[in-house]
Structures are given as structure tokens and as C-alpha cells.
Amino acid sequence: MNQTNDHEKQYATLRAQFAFHGHALHRTSPTDGPVSYYAERWGLVRYLPTLDDARRFLAQIGGAHG
């Protein structure tokens, strides 16, 4: 599996895990430059620079670890 497909799979998995915990996970467009992420719930947004940051935040809200 190439790196792009692996990254897409990781992002899709994290989006599902965030949704399970009541949050929406979004990302910026790769055509706009480096991709960054943000989680949203109840109109509040948390900036997450990388997928690793998204994983750490997921753990903070009670999601999967690692």
C-alpha cells in the first residue's frame, strides 16, 4: 500500500472514531498546501496540526489509544 492510500485510510478511521465520540474531524485541502486537521463539536473547533495530534486529542475525549 502506498503512503497516500495509508494516510487516507488512517484519516477515514479517525473520522469514524471521532464521530463515534460526538465530534467531527475535518482537514484542509492538500491543494491549499500542507494538510492540517480540526475537530468540531457544538460549534467549537480544535486545531490539530497533524494526524498524530488528532490521535492524541481522540484519546483525551475517550477514544482509542495509539
Side-chain angles (χ1 to χ4, degrees):
M1 183 180 295
N2 70 38
Q3 186 176 8
T4 300
N5 287 342
D6 188 44
H7 183 82
E8 290 296 320
K9 182 179 175 183
Q10 290 176 40
Y11 173 63
T13 300
L14 281 173
R15 281 188 70 182
Q17 291 172 337
F18 269 84
F20 184 77
H21 286 69
H23 289 70
L25 180 65
H26 306 281
R27 68 177 172 190
T28 60
S29 173
T31 60
D32 292 337
V35 175
S36 60
Y37 305 85
Y38 58 98
E40 178 184 12
R41 183 175 186 180
W42 300 327
L44 301 173
V45 176
R46 170 95 178 231
Y47 172 68
L48 304 161
T50 68
L51 274 180
D52 287 334
D53 293 313
R55 285 185 196 94
R56 283 190 285 277
F57 184 61
L58 180 63
Q60 288 178 353
I61 62 172
H65 300 282

